[in-house]
Amino acid sequence: MTRSRYSNFGYTVLSAQRDRAPHRLALSYGSTRQLTYAELDSRVNRTANALLSAGVQPGERVATLLDSTLSVAENYLAQTKLGSVLCALNPYWDAATFEKIVTSIEATAFVYDVKFDELADRLRPRLPQVTRWIRAGAQRDGSEVLDLDELTAEASDAEPPLGAGGDDPLALFFTSGTTGLPKAVQYTHASGIAIAQGLWADVPALQDAALGTGPIIWGVGFIAVAAPALAAGIRLVLEDDFGPVQFLETVPREGITHISVTPSFFAELLANSDHSAANLDSLRVALLGGEPLLSSLQERIAQRLPNLSLYGYYGQTEAPYSVIGRRDDGSVPDGVVGRARFGGAVRVVDSTGVPVLDTVGEIQISGPHVTAGYFSQPEATAEALRDGWFVGGDVGSIDAQGLLTVLGRRADSIERGGVLTLPAQIEDAASRVEGVAEAGAIGLPVPNAEPQILLVLSPERGCELDSGVVADRLAVALPAPSRPDHIVIVDSLPHANDGSGGKGKLLRRVLVEQFGHLAASSTERG
């Protein structure tokens, strides 16, 4: 089969830019290394040819577990060039999850680095189907594991044979696994290219821009954050830790203009005065998604960074950047995410599957950027992909102008007294109370009765919160069915580890585990 170079993800993202501007800076790693497009492409080609010499073949699923962001970028791009199927493992899984995942995806090669030696030693006898273990880092004496560094040093930097493109499989990225074993989300070269290139139809790339990020790129962030920067000729600034402390150092040092983080990142950054001394004037574009951007937090961001353009987005691992809207200039009303991304579509349907306007219903997404399904899970794929639309379990509403409001996960909604309340509505009201740094709201199930509402708060540094005062404020701000039954004050709320060093998504399921007994105890007292 004849393939175009431009149907291959790695070539389109990296080599096309090498041809266009070989001497332009492509990547900065920490404060020590800078690579032009020509230099980065050469390193990626060597890695691809080294993997080929190790026996990795086009179409082969390669379990990949690397530590440094530079290694992640180079190895991932190399695999996409040679046409193997990149299986981007989550370094925060436990050994049992690794074993189950690698077995379920039928990976036959495993690439890892020295940080994961102990884990690899434990997994090797449990994964007999993996025929090649390929290790980056100084080779250990007597080891039968292939030495990627040695193979790379001997490899050519010529363009590797074009092994895949178009609708061929590109990668498997994994869901968070909050309701079971993480699912393997499949992407093709075509859908990966659509994600990497299509973002800039809705968000300004700017001249001499620099996009900063951290280890989040070991997941779907590779095609949603790192690859778009390279594809647009934006310098990619990589840190192995991009939490608030490193962020305050890296932004002024590198002149970062673009970032993509969760709103919780800014909630943590602005929770104390550490940021006040940092020069953040270079920042121009922030993409905020993964959870609702509360209007109260948006106001705090605007006060600290008045020249920062805020782009809220809605998407999932299965469909990144599906809806985008600028939040700081009045382009979309408060609480609205935006419109469907360029080349895609979004709709809301009722319980019968009929599209509706200005009515709460199920959100569905379509476009060239959407996943091809879940690997080896036909039933889950059929449930999520219906007649060309992706259905991810979220609810919201859309108006006649195509503006989408996302209310949250259907599973998180709380219905009492005929009123449907989403946690974000309660959290936004609570976040406006003086001294509140962060809020998390959940519904607590009660047998044979309506659910109760729990609100968990963390205070700003140096502040004390009074649950009674908060309750009085919320009695004014919220309708009766949406007011919390329990208000708990803690030092900090639980978040997923997104690899950035900062806060990931709020883990509401952990709040249920920690405080679910409150509903039972109050029912017993009643």
Side-chain angles (χ1 to χ4, degrees):
M1 180 176 66
T2 301
R3 295 186 179 91
S4 163
R5 295 181 300 175
Y6 292 96
S7 72
N8 175 273
F9 179 89
Y11 188 93
T12 300
V13 167
L14 177 59
S15 302
Q17 279 294 332
R18 172 208 64 194
D19 294 341
R20 177 185 179 192
H23 303 298
R24 185 179 179 88
L25 279 179
L27 182 148
S28 298
Y29 176 57
S31 60
T32 60
R33 182 168 296 175
Q34 292 189 325
L35 298 171
T36 65
Y37 275 95
E39 291 168 338
L40 178 60
D41 191 67
S42 176
R43 290 169 63 98
V44 166
N45 288 347
R46 285 185 182 277
T47 303
N49 288 319
L51 291 170
L52 284 170
S53 70
V56 175
Q57 298 297 312
E60 181 177 11
R61 285 176 291 281
V62 181
T64 306
L65 183 61
L66 299 168
D67 181 35
S68 86
T69 50
L70 179 59
S71 296
V72 167
E74 291 180 346
N75 196 289
Y76 283 22
L77 287 165
Q79 289 195 45
T80 67
K81 276 198 173 190
L82 65 87
S84 62
V85 182
L86 164 68
C87 304
L89 305 183
N90 184 331
Y92 298 98
W93 290 334
D94 58 29
T97 301
F98 277 109
E99 181 181 354
K100 292 176 183 177
I101 291 291
V102 176
T103 300
S104 68
I105 62 176
E106 302 170 10
T108 51
F110 197 121
V111 175
Y112 67 101
D113 63 23
V114 62
K115 179 177 179 179
F116 302 104
D117 274 344
E118 182 180 348
L119 174 66
D121 289 344
R122 293 176 61 188
L123 291 176
R124 199 170 295 119
R126 305 181 189 179
L127 298 172
Q129 79 277 13
V130 176
T131 58
R132 274 143 300 136
W133 293 81
I134 305 168
R135 177 179 180 272
Q139 184 63 43
R140 293 179 292 183
D141 293 339
S143 174
E144 297 180 0
V145 175
L146 294 168
D147 185 345
L148 183 59
D149 290 0
E150 181 179 333
L151 294 172
T152 302
E154 298 171 352
S156 166
D157 66 354
E159 198 73 36
L162 196 65
D167 291 332
D168 293 327
L170 168 75
L172 301 181
F173 300 111
F174 296 88
T175 61
S176 60
T178 55
T179 57
L181 193 69
K183 295 192 287 290
V185 180
Q186 301 185 88
Y187 278 98
T188 65
H189 283 257
S191 57
I193 290 170
I195 293 168
Q197 293 184 329
L199 175 64
W200 308 116
D202 297 292
V203 178
L206 306 179
Q207 290 295 317
D208 299 319
L211 189 151
T213 189
I216 192 173
I217 65 169
W218 48 246
V220 75
F222 169 62
I223 58 173
V225 179
L230 295 172
I234 293 175
R235 180 166 56 96
L236 179 62
V237 179
L238 296 177
E239 293 284 354
D240 288 334
D241 176 356
F242 202 59
V245 174
Q246 187 63 51
F247 175 86
L248 294 176
E249 176 186 324
T250 305
V251 169
R253 185 190 74 220
E254 299 291 345
I256 289 174
T257 58
H258 290 58
I259 56 172
S260 179
V261 296
T262 63
S264 290
F265 178 92
F266 268 110
E268 183 178 12
L269 180 73
L270 301 178
N272 57 66
S273 61
D274 294 350
H275 63 87
S276 59
N279 183 351
L280 305 178
D281 292 345
S282 64
L283 289 171
R284 287 293 178 269
V285 175
L287 286 157
L288 301 178
E291 58 190 11
L293 173 57
L294 304 181
S295 57
S296 54
L297 177 58
Q298 180 180 328
E299 292 169 3
R300 293 166 62 194
I301 297 172
Q303 290 174 0
R304 175 60 178 89
L305 298 164
N307 296 321
L308 182 63
S309 298
L310 292 178
Y311 287 83
Y313 69 85
Y314 165 71
Q316 294 173 278
T317 301
E318 297 89 341
Y321 298 132
S322 292
V323 177
I324 301 176
R326 185 167 174 183
R327 295 290 301 270
D328 60 296
D329 66 350
S331 297
V332 297
D334 186 37
V336 173
V337 177
R339 294 182 173 85
R341 62 175 286 149
F342 179 79
V346 63
R347 68 183 185 182
V348 172
V349 303
D350 63 18
S351 58
T352 66
V354 175
V356 292
L357 295 177
D358 300 317
T359 302
V360 174
E362 179 181 73
I363 298 172
Q364 299 186 345
I365 299 164
S366 183
H369 67 300
V370 173
T371 176
Y374 303 109
F375 179 78
S376 195
Q377 292 186 268
E379 293 183 359
T381 297
E383 177 65 22
L385 297 176
R386 308 177 197 167
D387 299 322
W389 294 86
F390 170 70
V391 182
D394 288 335
V395 295
S397 63
I398 195 168
D399 66 15
Q401 285 71 48
L403 291 169
L404 178 72
T405 298
V406 179
L407 296 176
R409 303 288 296 173
R410 180 187 298 277
D412 291 337
S413 61
I414 307 163
E415 186 170 358
R416 302 201 309 185
V419 175
L420 187 70
T421 302
L422 273 297
Q425 297 170 283
I426 304 170
E427 291 162 1
D428 191 22
S431 296
R432 294 178 180 278
V433 177
E434 185 176 356
V436 172
E438 191 176 16
I442 54 172
L444 299 176
V446 177
N448 304 316
E450 289 188 327
Q452 297 182 3
I453 296 176
L454 165 70
L455 175 64
V456 183
L457 305 173
S458 65
E460 294 180 349
R461 183 187 296 178
C463 294
E464 293 186 4
L465 294 176
D466 184 301
S467 59
V469 172
V470 174
D472 291 343
R473 289 286 301 274
L474 296 184
V476 176
L478 295 171
S482 302
R483 296 169 190 164
D485 302 285
H486 311 278
I487 298 176
V488 176
I489 299 170
V490 297
D491 292 335
S492 62
L493 272 62
H495 287 263
N497 195 329
D498 66 3
S500 70
K503 290 183 177 179
K505 296 180 182 179
L506 176 66
L507 292 177
R508 291 192 176 89
R509 62 178 174 80
V510 176
L511 296 180
V512 174
E513 295 168 1
Q514 292 179 344
F515 302 106
H517 64 280
L518 294 176
S521 62
S522 65
T523 301
E524 292 168 1
R525 287 197 304 270

